[in-house]
Amino acid sequence: MKKYRKIILVGILLLLIGIFIHPKKVIYEPKIIGKVIDLSENPIENATVSRIEKKHWKNKEHGYYESEEFISESVNTDGNGNFILNEKSRIDWIHNIPFVLPLAWCNTGFEVSKNGFKTYRTEFDDYSEYNENLNACKGIEFKAKIILKKL
């Protein structure tokens, strides 16, 4: 009888783990195409454009969720001031809730920096778009024209 209880208990444990840890949630980051210019509309070469993402985790001591921004991708502008941050995706293996609703809004953030110029950083709603396919940023492309001011 104890053997059957162990088998049932292991089965229930595997079912619960499968609800919370599985590779179903794919997070997409949109494609960003843009041009970096100065105030006189001259292209800025070799400016660094960095995609900013948020990393989320649960504070084990206090039990609340924390987040931190990090730079996930960086590119330099070409001779004409153009840059491309390609669409990318990652798999979120661990879910906090078992049933996640599909997202319809795509938001992105990035910053542009160059020596001798003031760093430009986007705000939360600067690049935001509703995606009718309800899959957040999959297939979304933002076009940006960034003007850097000299220090």
Side-chain angles (χ1 to χ4, degrees):
M1 195 70 173
K2 288 185 178 183
K3 188 175 186 178
Y4 292 116
R5 285 184 187 171
K6 287 182 181 179
I7 291 173
I8 291 172
L9 185 61
V10 168
I12 291 172
L13 183 64
L14 288 174
L15 180 66
L16 288 174
I17 289 172
I19 288 174
F20 292 100
I21 302 175
H22 57 283
K24 290 203 174 199
K25 187 176 180 186
V26 180
I27 298 170
Y28 292 95
E29 292 296 328
K31 183 176 187 177
I32 303 169
I33 299 173
K35 184 171 188 142
V36 180
I37 56 174
D38 61 12
L39 288 173
S40 12
E41 298 203 9
N42 297 322
I44 299 176
E45 186 177 0
N46 290 326
T48 303
V49 182
S50 304
R51 185 188 302 268
I52 300 170
E53 294 184 44
K54 280 196 173 183
K55 188 185 314 181
H56 300 277
W57 68 91
K58 187 173 184 177
N59 184 315
K60 292 180 182 177
E61 184 179 340
H62 301 290
Y64 58 86
Y65 288 95
E66 296 180 347
S67 65
E68 173 182 74
E69 290 183 342
F70 70 99
I71 294 173
S72 65
E73 181 182 7
S74 291
V75 296
N76 288 331
T77 57
D78 63 13
N80 295 324
N82 298 319
F83 69 90
I84 297 175
L85 290 170
N86 288 314
E87 179 182 69
K88 67 178 206 158
S89 64
R90 70 180 186 275
I91 295 174
D92 189 10
W93 284 83
I94 299 175
H95 306 282
N96 297 325
I97 55 175
F99 305 104
V100 179
L101 296 174
L103 299 173
W105 283 95
C106 175
N107 297 304
T108 191
F110 60 94
E111 73 177 17
V112 182
S113 60
K114 171 85 173 165
N115 287 337
F117 291 90
K118 184 177 179 187
T119 299
Y120 173 84
R121 186 176 182 135
T122 60
E123 297 294 325
F124 178 72
D125 282 339
D126 287 350
Y127 294 92
S128 176
E129 185 174 319
Y130 180 78
N131 192 346
E132 292 180 4
N133 296 329
L134 300 178
N135 55 8
C137 293
K138 185 176 183 180
I140 299 290
E141 182 178 299
F142 291 111
K143 296 186 180 185
K145 185 176 181 181
I146 308 301
I147 300 171
L148 291 183
K149 298 175 183 176
K150 290 192 176 190
L151 290 177

